[in-house]
Amino acid sequence: MSVAKPTQRRSIWKSQPFKGLLFIAVIAVISYIFELIFGQIIQLNVGTKLTYITICFVWWWHLGFSLNGYPGSRFSSTRFRRGTVNLVVLLALVYITGEAWKFISAKAILTDTPVGLWGQTAIITAAASLFFFDNTIVTTEEVRNWHPVSGFINIFFAIFFIAPALTFLP
């Protein structure tokens, strides 16, 4: 005699693509609230906001794909704490990058610097590294599984070598 197991019905919001769509909607609402609260305090124009978004995307891509959750994974085993640590690192890198480009270019306004071109080049380098070289564009077979060493090598190559070279050489 067999005992039939009742099937548990999952909510459609816990499966793809609905889970992703829900996440996008939640992020849109949070972003709007953030803009309402902090937009008046920070008072950045649209060009500066888009530039910071580009820098943030560059660092997010490289940290996420090259380091696979490092450094947050060193501090906690829970997803929320790892994400919080990595978000703080990401925000710090975005701020430092913006200030560094203003210093390098001797400009007071970030949008007057070539940081946008640097960001686009770094994104293209990251995509090429991921899609064509499996995110191991400069690492050898032995180093590929050494995290975070291989990730830092790829980040250095894509952000600190190729992107500035293609930004400043032309």
Side-chain angles (χ1 to χ4, degrees), residues 18-39:
F18 299 107
K19 186 177 182 180
L21 294 172
L22 179 63
F23 180 72
I24 290 170
V26 168
I27 293 299
V29 170
I30 291 171
S31 298
Y32 183 70
I33 292 169
F34 184 82
E35 175 63 26
L36 288 176
I37 294 170
F38 294 107

Side-chain angles (χ1 to χ4, degrees), residues 93-106 110 113 115:
L93 286 171
V94 170
Y95 176 76
I96 291 167
T97 301
E99 293 302 310
W101 276 91
K102 287 194 285 188
F103 178 76
I104 290 167
S105 302
L110 187 62
T113 70
V115 70

Side-chain angles (χ1 to χ4, degrees), residues 26 81 130 167:
V26 168
R81 287 187 194 139
L130 180 64
T167 301

Side-chain angles (χ1 to χ4, degrees), residues 54-55 57-59 61-62 101 114-129 137 154-155 157-170:
T54 303
I55 296 170
F57 186 70
V58 167
W59 280 113
W61 183 292
H62 284 282
W101 276 91
V115 70
L117 179 60
W118 166 86
Q120 293 171 0
T121 306
I123 292 168
I124 291 169
T125 304
S129 174
I137 194 167
N154 282 314
I155 289 173
F157 186 69
I159 289 183
F160 298 110
F161 181 70
I162 289 182
L166 294 177
T167 301
F168 290 119
L169 286 178

Side-chain angles (χ1 to χ4, degrees), residues 69-91:
Y70 184 86
S73 60
R74 303 263 308 168
F75 294 103
S76 177
S77 60
T78 66
R79 189 173 195 167
F80 183 77
R81 287 187 194 139
R82 284 191 319 252
T84 302
V85 169
N86 287 338
L87 181 61
V88 169
V89 169
L90 175 68
L91 293 175

